[in-house]
C-alpha cells in the first residue's frame, strides 16, 4: 500500500493518534475500576462486560467496517467515529449507576474503537515511505499502551473517573484539527486491484487472526483485572496498584516501537513472535509465586513479550506475499483480536470467582498462552513462501 517517497509525519502520527484515542476510550476504566465499583457497586461480571462489550461490538463490526471503509472516504469514517464516541461518553457521564446505560455507553465507545482500529493503521501507512514503515508499524502496534499510559498517568495524578471521561471528549479537538488541516489524505483508499480479496482469504492472515485471538484473551484478562487483583489479593494501595499496572504498559510501548523498527531491518518475525508468546506463558505459569522484587521483574518480562507480539501481528500483512496492509487486512486481524478481548475479561472473572481462584485461573491462561506459542509455528511455511 505504501507508495509515497517521503513520509508525511503529521498524517502518519494522526493515524497513530486515532488508534490511541480508541485505546483510551477502552482503557480509561481499568485504572479507576476499584474506586468506580466502590462508588457504583456493579458486580464483577457486569464490570467485565464494561470491557468485553468493546470486543463484542468489534467482533461483529471489524470485518464489515474494513470492507465499508475501502469503499468510502476515511474522513467520513473518522467523523462518524468521533460522533458516536461523543454520544457514548455523555451517556456514561450521565448514568454511571445504571448497568444497562453504562453498557450502552461502552458499546457506543466500542463501535468507535472498532472504526479507529481499522482506519488508524490505514491512514498512518498511507502517508509512510517504505524506509520509515518499520518505525510507523511499531508506533501503530503501540496504540494500546499509549492509550493505557495516558489513562493510567491521569489516574495516578489524581484524576477521578469523571475527569477521565471529560478528557476523552477534549482529546477529540486535536484529532479534528489535524484531520482538517490534512483532509486531502482522508479520501478513499487507493490500493492495488485484487489486494482486498487476497487480504481477506490469505491463510497466513487467518492464522494470524487466530493467534491474535489467543494472545488478546490472556493480555486483556491480565490488564483488566490487574488493579483489582493487586488491591484485593495483595492489599496494595490504589496508587501502588496503578504504578504496578503502568510498569508493563511502559515496557510494552517501548518494545512495540523497538520491535517494529527491528522487523523492518531484518528481525525474523516468527522467532520473535514465538519467544514473545512463550515468555508470557512463563509469567502466567509462575504467577502464584511472584511477589516483591521478583514480581516486578516478571511484570517487565510480561511487558517485553506483550510488546513484541502485537508488533509482529501488525507487521504480518507486510510479510505475507500478496497481502496489502489495507482496511480488509486489518479488519481480519481486528476480528481475531476483538474475539480475544471479548473472551479474556469474562473468562478470567469466571475462573477466579469459581473453585480455581486467582492462582488456578493463572494456570489456565498460561496453558492458553503456551498453545498460542506452539500454534504460531504453523505460520512458518506461509512466511517461508513469502520470503
Amino acid at each position: 500500500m505504501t507508495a509515497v517517497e517521503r513520509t508525511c509525519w503529521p498524517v502518519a502520527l494522526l493515524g497513530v493518534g486515532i488508534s490511541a484515542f480508541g485505546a483510551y476510550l477502552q482503557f480509561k476504566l481499568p485504572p479507576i475500576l476499584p474506586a468506580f465499583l466502590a462508588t457504583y457497586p456493579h458486580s464483577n461480571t457486569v464490570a467485565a462486560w464494561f470491557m468485553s462489550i468493546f470486543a463484542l461490538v468489534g467482533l461483529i463490526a471489524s470485518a464489515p467496517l474494513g470492507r465499508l471503509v475501502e469503499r468510502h472516504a476515511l474522513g467520513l469514517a473518522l467523523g462518524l467515529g468521533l460522533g458516536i464516541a461523543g454520544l457514548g461518553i455523555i451517556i456514561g457521564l450521565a448514568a454511571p449507576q445504571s448497568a444497562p446505560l453504562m453498557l450502552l455507553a461502552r458499546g457506543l465507545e466500542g463501535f468507535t474503537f472498532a472504526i479507529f482500529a481499522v482506519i488508524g493503521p490505514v491512514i498512518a501507512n498511507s502517508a509512510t515511505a517504505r524506509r520509515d514503515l518499520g518505525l510507523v508499524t511499531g508506533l501503530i502496534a503501540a496504540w494500546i499502551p499509549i492509550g493505557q499510559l495516558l489513562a493510567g498517568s491521569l489516574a495516578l495524578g489524581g484524576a477521578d473517573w469523571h475527569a477521565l471521561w471529560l478528557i476523552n471528549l477534549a482529546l477529540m479537538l486535536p484529532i479534528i484539527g489535524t484531520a482538517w488541516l490534512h483532509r486531502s489524505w482522508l479520501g478513499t483508499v487507493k490500493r492495488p486491484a485484487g489486494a482486498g480479496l487476497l487480504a481477506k482469504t490469505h491463510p497466513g492472515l487467518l492464522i494470524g487472526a487466530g493467534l491474535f485471538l489467543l494472545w488478546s484473551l490472556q493480555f486483556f484478562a491480565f490488564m483488566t483485572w490487574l488493579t483489582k487483583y493487586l488491591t484485593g489479593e495483595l492489599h496494595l494501595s490504589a496508587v501502588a496498584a496503578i504504578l504496578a499496572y503502568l510498569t508493563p504498559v511502559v515496557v510494552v510501548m517501548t518494545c512495540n516501537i523497538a520491535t517494529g523498527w527491528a522487523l523492518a531491518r531484518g528481525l525474523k518475525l516468527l522467532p520473535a513472535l514465538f519467544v514473545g508468546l512463550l515468555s508470557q506463558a512463563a509469567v502466567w505459569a509462575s504467577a502464584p509465586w511472584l511477589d516483591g522484587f521478583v514480581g516486578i521483574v516478571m511484570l517487565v518480562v510480561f511487558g517485553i513479550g506483550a510488546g513484541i507480539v502485537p508488533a509482529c501481528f501488525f507487521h504480518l500483512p507486510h510479510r505475507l506475499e500478496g497481502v496489502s496492509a489495507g482496511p480488509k487486512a486489518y479488519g481480519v486481524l481486528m476480528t481475531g483480536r476483538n474475539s480475544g478481548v471479548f473472551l479474556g475479561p469474562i473468562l478470567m472473572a469466571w475462573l477466579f470467582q469459581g473453585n480455581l481462584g486467582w492462582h488456578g485461573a493463572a494456570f489456565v491462561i498460561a496453558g492458553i498462552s503456551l498453545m498460542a506459542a506452539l500454534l504460531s509455528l504453523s505460520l512458518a511455511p506461509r512466511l517461508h513462501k513469502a520470503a
Side-chain angles (χ1 to χ4, degrees):
M1 180 178 176
T2 299
V4 297
E5 295 183 359
R6 186 175 181 180
T7 299
C8 180
W9 284 107
V11 177
L13 294 177
L14 171 65
V16 175
I18 286 168
S19 294
F21 177 90
Y24 181 91
L25 275 173
Q26 183 174 26
F27 283 95
K28 61 179 182 272
L29 180 62
I32 49 85
L33 183 59
F36 183 84
L37 293 180
T39 305
Y40 308 102
H42 301 289
S43 70
N44 286 333
T45 300
V46 171
W49 270 102
F50 289 159
M51 293 294 285
S52 289
I53 191 73
F54 273 68
L56 179 61
V57 173
L59 177 60
I60 297 169
S62 289
L65 279 171
R67 293 191 292 270
L68 286 172
V69 168
E70 198 151 288
R71 291 198 294 267
H72 300 283
L74 292 166
L76 181 64
L78 175 59
L80 177 65
L82 289 172
I84 292 171
L87 179 59
I89 292 167
I90 290 169
I91 292 173
L93 284 167
Q97 74 286 349
S98 168
L101 287 177
M102 275 298 291
L103 284 170
L104 172 62
R106 297 290 283 170
L108 291 170
E109 292 177 350
F111 192 75
T112 294
F113 180 99
I115 295 173
F116 285 8
V118 171
I119 69 171
V122 174
I123 292 170
N125 285 333
S126 71
T128 302
R130 184 164 297 279
R131 65 179 178 274
D132 298 320
L133 190 59
L135 176 59
V136 172
T137 299
L139 288 169
I140 292 169
W143 66 305
I144 290 293
I146 291 171
Q148 288 177 296
L149 186 60
L150 177 58
S153 299
L154 290 169
L156 194 61
D160 65 2
W161 80 270
H162 295 92
L164 291 176
W165 263 244
L166 290 169
I167 289 168
N168 213 164
L169 281 174
L171 288 172
M172 293 183 181
L173 298 177
I175 291 177
I176 292 170
T178 306
W180 177 256
L181 289 173
H182 299 279
R183 57 191 179 276
S184 61
W185 289 86
L186 304 181
T188 54
V189 180
K190 299 177 179 65
R191 297 176 58 231
L197 178 63
L198 287 167
K200 181 180 178 183
T201 60
H202 195 288
L205 198 60
L206 295 175
I207 293 170
L211 293 171
F212 216 167
L213 185 160
L214 295 174
W215 178 82
S216 297
L217 187 155
Q218 60 85 32
F219 180 75
F220 288 94
F222 179 85
M223 297 311 302
T224 298
W225 292 107
L226 181 58
T227 55
K228 179 77 171 173
Y229 173 74
L230 293 172
T231 55
E233 294 294 309
L234 301 186
H235 308 294
L236 297 184
S237 67
V239 171
I242 293 174
L243 281 171
Y245 172 88
L246 289 178
T247 298
V249 171
V250 173
V251 178
V252 168
M253 184 173 65
T254 304
C255 290
N256 284 152
I257 298 168
T259 303
W261 182 88
L263 285 168
R265 283 155 180 80
L267 177 66
K268 298 294 185 182
L269 187 146
L270 185 56
L273 179 61
F274 179 77
V275 170
L277 290 167
L278 197 62
S279 67
Q280 291 184 276
V283 173
W284 278 108
S286 61
W289 299 281
L290 298 183
D291 200 1
F293 177 74
V294 176
I296 294 172
V297 171
M298 294 307 282
L299 279 175
V300 172
V301 172
F302 185 89
I304 292 171
I308 293 171
V309 172
C312 292
F313 287 139
F314 279 97
H315 211 77
L316 187 61
H318 302 304
R319 289 288 176 90
L320 291 173
E321 185 179 17
V323 175
S324 179
K328 287 186 180 179
Y330 286 111
V332 172
L333 285 174
M334 287 300 109
T335 298
R337 176 197 173 277
N338 287 322
S339 300
V341 180
F342 170 67
L343 293 169
I346 294 175
L347 176 63
M348 192 68 179
W350 177 69
L351 290 172
F352 80 70
Q353 290 180 116
N355 294 328
L356 291 176
W358 286 103
H359 292 172
F363 288 132
V364 173
I365 304 298
I368 292 171
S369 302
L370 179 60
M371 181 170 62
L374 296 175
L375 287 175
S376 71
L377 300 176
S378 64
L379 280 171
R382 315 293 178 186
L383 292 169
H384 179 74
K385 179 182 178 182

